[in-house]
Amino acid sequence: MKTAAPPLDKTDLVRKIPFFAALSGADARKIADLLVERIVKRGEYLFWEGDPADWLYVIKEGKIKLVKSSPNGKEMVLEMVPPGQVCGTAVIYSPTQLSSAVAESATTAFGLRRSELEKLIYAAPQVAKAVIEYLGSRLKAAHDTITSLVTSKVEVRIASVLVKLAEHHGSPTPRGIRINIPLTRKDIADAVGATVETTIRTLSRFQKQKILT
């Protein structure tokens, strides 16, 4: 009988943050002592777009959805953040949060204050280098997303999102790669800038072609 993996402790979570992956165990434990726990219920916000970017969060349990609002109130899903991943990364390059973070399920997160992160960046060259590399990867991902939205057909955009989800949140099975976070058709539609109806038709076509189950 398969047992659930034990929850990540604070030191484990520190090592999941891209900037701190190369730190020693002792240094990771020092940072773990600085983390502040936040618990949010399903539908509550960890932070809002436009809030001061004062905290970097790493998710322990639950799932966070990052959304961006347009002037007419429409929301676009930017990213799904499962346990072991970070959100609030605007803290390293912006005075305010550039998106909102809403809990898709009851979520426990640990936050690191901006002031503490800045001290670490100034004190540890390896952390500063990792931050620069992280920003570069995020910039490339943003460019790829913009290019896809402008030039690609809906089915290509949906396929791209599914591939990225499989890469970041997938596990191999005899039938293929299983995406391990729950998603609705609306989540996918919002992520690619399409209607729910178009997304349903596209996913159904993928199922008939046996690309997706």
Side-chain angles (χ1 to χ4, degrees), residues 107-186:
T107 297
T108 301
F110 285 96
L112 179 67
R113 293 182 188 274
R114 183 189 191 114
S115 57
E116 299 293 348
L117 177 59
E118 289 175 345
K119 290 177 186 176
L120 292 164
I121 291 173
Y122 292 135
Q126 71 269 35
V127 173
K129 181 176 182 292
V131 167
I132 293 169
E133 292 173 347
Y134 177 81
L135 289 175
S137 69
R138 298 292 290 185
L139 182 60
K140 181 183 183 301
H143 283 170
D144 291 345
T145 298
I146 292 169
T147 301
S148 177
L149 288 172
V150 171
T151 64
S152 300
K153 295 180 179 180
V154 171
E155 56 265 31
V156 175
R157 302 204 300 268
I158 291 175
S160 178
V161 165
L162 293 173
V163 168
K164 287 179 181 177
L165 288 169
E167 289 174 348
H168 294 291
H169 311 298
S171 58
T173 74
R175 300 177 62 192
I177 303 297
R178 183 180 190 277
I179 295 172
N180 293 312
I181 56 175
L183 290 167
T184 67
R185 292 174 176 84
K186 185 176 186 303

Side-chain angles (χ1 to χ4, degrees), residues 81-92:
V81 187
Q85 295 199 13
V86 296
C87 61
T89 52
V91 71
I92 59 179

Side-chain angles (χ1 to χ4, degrees), residues 4-26:
L8 297 168
D9 66 20
K10 292 174 75 172
T11 304
D12 292 332
L13 289 169
V14 168
R15 303 304 290 274
K16 292 285 186 180
I17 298 173
F19 328 136
F20 304 141
L23 293 180
S24 68

Side-chain angles (χ1 to χ4, degrees), residues 45-53 55 57 64-70 75-81 86-91 93-102 138:
Y45 282 75
L46 188 60
F47 54 80
W48 290 84
E49 182 179 348
D51 281 353
W55 293 87
Y57 292 100
I64 290 290
K65 178 169 67 176
L66 299 181
V67 297
K68 180 81 175 175
S69 298
S70 66
E75 287 189 342
M76 178 178 181
V77 178
L78 302 179
E79 190 176 350
M80 307 300 290
V81 187
V86 296
C87 61
T89 52
V91 71
Y93 56 83
S94 172
T96 59
Q97 296 290 358
L98 304 181
S99 62
S100 298
V102 60
R138 298 292 290 185

